Short mmCIF file of all heavy atoms in Angstrom, two decimals:
data_model
loop_
_atom_site.label_atom_id
_atom_site.label_comp_id
_atom_site.label_asym_id
_atom_site.label_seq_id
_atom_site.Cartn_x
_atom_site.Cartn_y
_atom_site.Cartn_z
N ASP A 8 5.89 3.62 0.02
CA ASP A 8 5.45 2.28 -0.37
C ASP A 8 5.69 1.35 0.82
O ASP A 8 6.77 0.82 1.02
CB ASP A 8 6.24 1.81 -1.60
CG ASP A 8 5.74 0.50 -2.15
OD1 ASP A 8 5.05 -0.24 -1.42
OD2 ASP A 8 6.06 0.19 -3.31
N TRP A 9 4.64 1.16 1.63
CA TRP A 9 4.79 0.37 2.85
C TRP A 9 5.06 -1.10 2.55
O TRP A 9 5.79 -1.76 3.28
CB TRP A 9 3.57 0.55 3.74
CG TRP A 9 3.39 1.95 4.20
CD1 TRP A 9 2.36 2.79 3.88
CD2 TRP A 9 4.27 2.71 5.04
NE1 TRP A 9 2.53 4.03 4.48
CE2 TRP A 9 3.70 4.01 5.20
CE3 TRP A 9 5.49 2.43 5.67
CZ2 TRP A 9 4.30 5.00 5.95
CZ3 TRP A 9 6.10 3.42 6.43
CH2 TRP A 9 5.50 4.68 6.58
N ALA A 10 4.48 -1.61 1.48
CA ALA A 10 4.74 -3.01 1.11
C ALA A 10 6.21 -3.20 0.79
O ALA A 10 6.80 -4.24 1.13
CB ALA A 10 3.87 -3.42 -0.07
N ALA A 11 6.81 -2.22 0.14
CA ALA A 11 8.25 -2.31 -0.17
C ALA A 11 9.08 -2.28 1.10
O ALA A 11 10.10 -3.00 1.20
CB ALA A 11 8.65 -1.16 -1.10
N TRP A 12 8.68 -1.49 2.09
CA TRP A 12 9.41 -1.48 3.35
C TRP A 12 9.26 -2.80 4.09
O TRP A 12 10.22 -3.30 4.71
CB TRP A 12 8.96 -0.30 4.23
CG TRP A 12 9.67 0.96 3.90
CD1 TRP A 12 9.14 2.10 3.34
CD2 TRP A 12 11.06 1.23 4.08
NE1 TRP A 12 10.12 3.03 3.16
CE2 TRP A 12 11.32 2.54 3.62
CE3 TRP A 12 12.14 0.48 4.59
CZ2 TRP A 12 12.57 3.12 3.65
CZ3 TRP A 12 13.40 1.06 4.62
CH2 TRP A 12 13.61 2.36 4.16
N GLN A 13 8.06 -3.40 4.04
CA GLN A 13 7.90 -4.73 4.63
C GLN A 13 8.81 -5.75 3.96
O GLN A 13 9.47 -6.55 4.63
CB GLN A 13 6.43 -5.18 4.51
CG GLN A 13 5.46 -4.48 5.42
CD GLN A 13 5.52 -4.97 6.86
OE1 GLN A 13 6.34 -5.80 7.24
NE2 GLN A 13 4.64 -4.44 7.69
N GLU A 14 8.83 -5.72 2.65
CA GLU A 14 9.68 -6.65 1.90
C GLU A 14 11.14 -6.44 2.24
O GLU A 14 11.91 -7.40 2.44
CB GLU A 14 9.44 -6.45 0.41
CG GLU A 14 10.28 -7.34 -0.51
CD GLU A 14 9.81 -8.78 -0.52
OE1 GLU A 14 8.70 -9.07 -0.04
OE2 GLU A 14 10.56 -9.63 -1.04
N SER A 15 11.56 -5.18 2.33
CA SER A 15 12.93 -4.87 2.67
C SER A 15 13.30 -5.36 4.07
O SER A 15 14.38 -5.90 4.29
CB SER A 15 13.14 -3.34 2.56
OG SER A 15 14.43 -2.98 2.97
N TRP A 16 12.36 -5.17 5.01
CA TRP A 16 12.59 -5.67 6.37
C TRP A 16 12.74 -7.19 6.39
O TRP A 16 13.65 -7.74 7.03
CB TRP A 16 11.45 -5.25 7.30
CG TRP A 16 11.56 -5.77 8.69
CD1 TRP A 16 10.90 -6.85 9.23
CD2 TRP A 16 12.40 -5.26 9.73
NE1 TRP A 16 11.27 -7.02 10.54
CE2 TRP A 16 12.20 -6.07 10.87
CE3 TRP A 16 13.31 -4.21 9.81
CZ2 TRP A 16 12.86 -5.85 12.08
CZ3 TRP A 16 13.98 -3.98 11.01
CH2 TRP A 16 13.76 -4.81 12.13
N ASP A 17 11.88 -7.87 5.66
CA ASP A 17 11.97 -9.33 5.59
C ASP A 17 13.31 -9.79 5.05
O ASP A 17 13.93 -10.72 5.57
CB ASP A 17 10.83 -9.90 4.72
CG ASP A 17 9.49 -9.91 5.42
OD1 ASP A 17 9.45 -9.82 6.67
OD2 ASP A 17 8.46 -10.00 4.71
N ARG A 18 13.77 -9.14 3.98
CA ARG A 18 15.05 -9.56 3.38
C ARG A 18 16.21 -9.28 4.35
O ARG A 18 17.14 -10.10 4.46
CB ARG A 18 15.28 -8.80 2.07
CG ARG A 18 14.25 -9.02 0.99
CD ARG A 18 14.25 -10.44 0.41
NE ARG A 18 13.53 -11.40 1.27
CZ ARG A 18 12.19 -11.44 1.34
NH1 ARG A 18 11.44 -10.62 0.65
NH2 ARG A 18 11.61 -12.35 2.11
N GLN A 19 16.17 -8.16 5.06
CA GLN A 19 17.21 -7.85 6.02
C GLN A 19 17.24 -8.89 7.14
O GLN A 19 18.30 -9.38 7.54
CB GLN A 19 16.99 -6.44 6.58
CG GLN A 19 18.00 -6.01 7.63
CD GLN A 19 17.40 -6.05 9.01
OE1 GLN A 19 17.96 -6.66 9.91
NE2 GLN A 19 16.24 -5.42 9.20
N GLN A 20 16.04 -9.27 7.64
CA GLN A 20 15.98 -10.25 8.70
C GLN A 20 16.44 -11.63 8.21
O GLN A 20 17.07 -12.38 8.96
CB GLN A 20 14.55 -10.34 9.25
CG GLN A 20 14.14 -9.12 10.06
CD GLN A 20 14.81 -9.08 11.43
OE1 GLN A 20 14.46 -9.83 12.32
NE2 GLN A 20 15.79 -8.21 11.58
N GLU A 21 16.15 -11.95 6.96
CA GLU A 21 16.58 -13.24 6.42
C GLU A 21 18.08 -13.31 6.24
O GLU A 21 18.63 -14.42 6.17
CB GLU A 21 15.86 -13.50 5.09
CG GLU A 21 14.42 -13.90 5.28
CD GLU A 21 13.66 -14.06 3.97
OE1 GLU A 21 14.24 -13.72 2.90
OE2 GLU A 21 12.52 -14.53 4.01
N ARG A 27 13.83 -18.24 8.35
CA ARG A 27 12.82 -17.47 9.09
C ARG A 27 11.39 -17.85 8.70
O ARG A 27 10.52 -17.98 9.57
CB ARG A 27 13.07 -15.99 8.82
CG ARG A 27 12.17 -15.00 9.52
CD ARG A 27 12.74 -13.60 9.36
NE ARG A 27 11.91 -12.55 9.91
CZ ARG A 27 11.12 -11.75 9.20
NH1 ARG A 27 11.08 -11.88 7.86
NH2 ARG A 27 10.39 -10.81 9.78
N THR A 55 7.36 -4.47 12.54
CA THR A 55 6.58 -4.08 11.37
C THR A 55 5.30 -4.89 11.19
O THR A 55 4.50 -4.62 10.29
CB THR A 55 7.42 -4.26 10.08
OG1 THR A 55 7.67 -5.64 9.88
CG2 THR A 55 8.73 -3.49 10.15
N ARG A 61 1.52 -12.67 8.35
CA ARG A 61 1.46 -14.09 8.01
C ARG A 61 0.24 -14.75 8.68
O ARG A 61 -0.39 -15.64 8.09
CB ARG A 61 2.76 -14.78 8.42
CG ARG A 61 3.91 -14.37 7.50
CD ARG A 61 5.27 -14.52 8.16
NE ARG A 61 6.34 -14.11 7.23
CZ ARG A 61 6.67 -12.85 6.98
NH1 ARG A 61 6.03 -11.85 7.59
NH2 ARG A 61 7.65 -12.57 6.13
N ILE A 83 5.70 1.60 9.97
CA ILE A 83 5.54 0.66 8.86
C ILE A 83 4.31 -0.22 9.10
O ILE A 83 3.52 -0.49 8.18
CB ILE A 83 6.81 -0.18 8.66
CG1 ILE A 83 7.97 0.74 8.26
CG2 ILE A 83 6.58 -1.27 7.62
CD1 ILE A 83 9.32 0.04 8.23
N THR A 87 1.01 -0.45 6.81
CA THR A 87 0.64 -1.74 6.22
C THR A 87 -0.79 -2.14 6.55
O THR A 87 -1.54 -2.60 5.68
CB THR A 87 1.60 -2.84 6.72
OG1 THR A 87 2.93 -2.49 6.35
CG2 THR A 87 1.23 -4.20 6.13
N TRP A 189 20.08 -1.17 6.67
CA TRP A 189 18.64 -0.99 6.58
C TRP A 189 18.22 0.29 7.30
O TRP A 189 17.42 1.09 6.78
CB TRP A 189 17.91 -2.20 7.15
CG TRP A 189 16.44 -2.20 6.84
CD1 TRP A 189 15.82 -2.73 5.75
CD2 TRP A 189 15.40 -1.61 7.64
NE1 TRP A 189 14.46 -2.52 5.81
CE2 TRP A 189 14.18 -1.84 6.97
CE3 TRP A 189 15.39 -0.92 8.85
CZ2 TRP A 189 12.95 -1.39 7.47
CZ3 TRP A 189 14.17 -0.47 9.35
CH2 TRP A 189 12.97 -0.71 8.66
#
Side-chain angles (χ1 to χ4, degrees):
D8 186 340
W9 297 115
W12 275 112
Q13 287 283 4
E14 179 73 13
S15 176
W16 176 260
D17 284 341
R18 300 293 80 75
Q19 178 255 127
Q20 289 286 286
E21 285 176 352
R27 182 169 176 258
T55 66
R61 289 156 180 79
I83 296 172
T87 301
W189 191 89

